[in-house]
Amino acid sequence: MKVKNVNFFLLRYPLERRYGNASGLKTERVSLVIRLETSDGVTGWGEGFAERTYPHHWEEAAKIIRGSELHDAPNIVDRIAKFDIALAGGVDVALWDLRGKLAGMSVANLLGGAYRNSQPAYASLHNVNDEPDIVKSALEESQSALDAGFRALKMKVGWHPVETDIAWVNAVTEALSPGVSLALDANRSMDLPTARRFIRALKDPGAISWFEEPVANTHSFGYSDLRNSIDIAIAGGETMSAPMIQEVIRQRAMDIINPDLVGHGGFRRMTHFWHAASVNGLRLIPHVFDGQISRVAALHFLASQPDWSETRSHFRAPPLEYDTAHNPLRDEILCENLVPLEDGSIAVPSGPGLGVEVNDSLVRKYTVAQG
């Protein structure tokens, strides 16, 4: 079976209310949607990194994909990865979607079988904003996620002075119900002494499930030093290269690695990270941010992995990151949105391929460039 048509759609949505993280406030959300179609009219969907994409890469990728046999998918992905690893990851998702549809199997089952029908998840909040009352805003953001059905949260620190962040994090942990965990993400904004001071000033460090990207990603030693000096799990890796993540795993410089399924090249590369982390005593919790299609792909990947053997943990299995900030490009791109179940988990689509239907009208509405 050959791929006949290849399309890339760059979507853009301007935000009415700015929000973001320690790296800055966003004024828009963007998405790169990938559509592949076989000679028999079967369609596969994927999603790339719109903020790091180049139209000439689309052209090069299309030349590689168009006319190729589906059984050559690994080679297709590897050739694209040589010049654009994230684009290769998005294409890989679309190819798995195609193969699943043709086989009549879900991606999770193609990966070896689903361990569960729903996946633990956490609400990933972009709580940095222009609001004057930071504590009130943080409390409202966390409560909104809990009201939506989530039972675990991740919030952003590092934009405000460290004392300000300490104050609102303490306010949030005091307000959380027992059993609700809170991860913190600093987006590489702190030096090592500041990260230590921040954690040691928290009133309830036991409520923190992990501390993500506290320091720079240029080397692993800062993470190793911090991990050895505090009693909170250290996470990172979404912005690291694959060789750097491998070095982190080798040194056990973190407790959790969070590469991105799309950003790091697709399912095969993510599986390599998973096994490397497992044999070295680290956990893998994927980074998922911009898109719903990439979120569904991560959901299938996670469902195909076993439960954690440890029972005294915030989660029974690796949780799915679920960005909750306002973004129609994400929330309306599927004909049926993903929403938390009663226990805060997300159901794994059971249909062929990714098991979801893409809303073509939304793609057309927000497309600003295509190839």
Side-chain angles (χ1 to χ4, degrees), residues 43-46 91-116 261 266-268 271 293-305 348-356:
T43 300
W45 295 90
V91 169
D92 190 46
V93 170
L95 288 168
W96 278 87
D97 189 27
L98 275 178
R99 286 182 289 175
K101 288 173 178 174
L102 291 168
M105 298 171 64
S106 72
V107 168
N109 284 332
L110 280 182
L111 289 168
Y115 280 88
R116 59 198 73 84
L261 191 150
F267 286 99
R268 186 158 48 97
T271 301
I293 298 173
S294 55
R295 178 188 289 169
V296 174
L299 184 57
H300 280 278
F301 173 80
L302 290 172
S304 70
Q305 308 303 327
V348 182
S350 58
L354 294 175
V356 295

Side-chain angles (χ1 to χ4, degrees), residues 3 13 24 49 60 80 96 136 151 203 229 289 294 321:
V3 180
Y13 175 80
F49 272 16
E60 291 300 312
I80 298 172
W96 278 87
K136 178 183 177 183
R151 297 293 175 264
K203 293 180 179 178
S229 61
F289 176 51
S294 55
E321 180 171 15

Side-chain angles (χ1 to χ4, degrees), residues 8-19:
F8 299 94
F9 304 94
L10 180 63
L11 281 57
R12 192 181 307 277
Y13 175 80
L15 294 172
E16 296 178 2
R17 174 181 177 267
R18 301 193 306 168
Y19 58 77

